[in-house]
Amino acid sequence: MHIFLIRHGESVANVGENYVERIPDHLVPLTERGREQARQNGEWLAQYCREHQIDLSRARAWCSPFVRTRQTCEEFNRFLRIKEVREDITLTEQQFGLFDSLPEAEWESRYPDAYAEYRRQITNQGKFYARLPMGESPFDVAIRVHQFMGTIYRDLERHGTDTLFVFTHGTTLRAFLLRWFHYSTEWYQAERNPANCRIREIIDDRDLGYINA
């Protein structure tokens, strides 16, 4: 199976513009720079597929239903021209719960008790297992990502769909890698969040890493 994992382009949350309006995370859009990132990298990836003779005739794109991932997928697909694009809710970003759309510097002052408990969990269990108040931990994300893997294996078996482009979020992308390759939680702790529009290539049981600058 050939998989390209793609993080969304720069969003208004990434540049701190959402801290005043506090748009719910699923509605956060790309910035204009984020759209341009998606266009440039979409064109680059289409050329990469041509150079490596990757057959896109039976390829499928999967997308988180969040606005910024939908927009990223649309811009990439101007060049990839994948006919079959689907969404899956298991590909959404980690749910930040009580801390959604708040700068991390304000978590403690706004919600001191909830923050204290979150810090206790990080201290005792590590960030992978620590659940954000009313939200998720990376562990929770990894569990739901595993459900998505069942979907793509069924598609492979029933329809021969073996080339996938998955548009998702930083935590979710790393959780996918952890489950696919059975990486350790220590690996997750050390793995940095990818920059916007980074593309990670997987061929069967080989992790080829990020292929674009």
Side-chain angles (χ1 to χ4, degrees), residues 61-77:
W62 284 99
C63 182
S64 156
F66 280 21
V67 168
R68 57 190 180 274
T69 37
R70 284 176 173 173
Q71 291 174 332
T72 302
C73 180
E74 288 169 2
E75 296 296 345
F76 266 75
N77 213 25

Side-chain angles (χ1 to χ4, degrees), residues 61-115:
W62 284 99
C63 182
S64 156
F66 280 21
V67 168
R68 57 190 180 274
T69 37
R70 284 176 173 173
Q71 291 174 332
T72 302
C73 180
E74 288 169 2
E75 296 296 345
F76 266 75
N77 213 25
R78 292 174 186 267
F79 304 96
L80 294 171
R81 298 182 180 179
I82 297 168
K83 295 179 181 179
E84 194 162 1
V85 179
R86 296 188 180 184
E87 295 183 355
D88 195 292
I89 59 172
T90 62
L91 295 173
T92 57
E93 177 61 296
Q94 178 183 4
Q95 303 296 300
F96 279 77
L98 202 60
F99 300 153
D100 183 33
S101 301
L102 276 178
E104 191 168 350
E106 294 184 16
W107 291 2
E108 183 175 15
S109 61
R110 292 279 194 102
Y111 304 105
D113 291 342
Y115 181 79

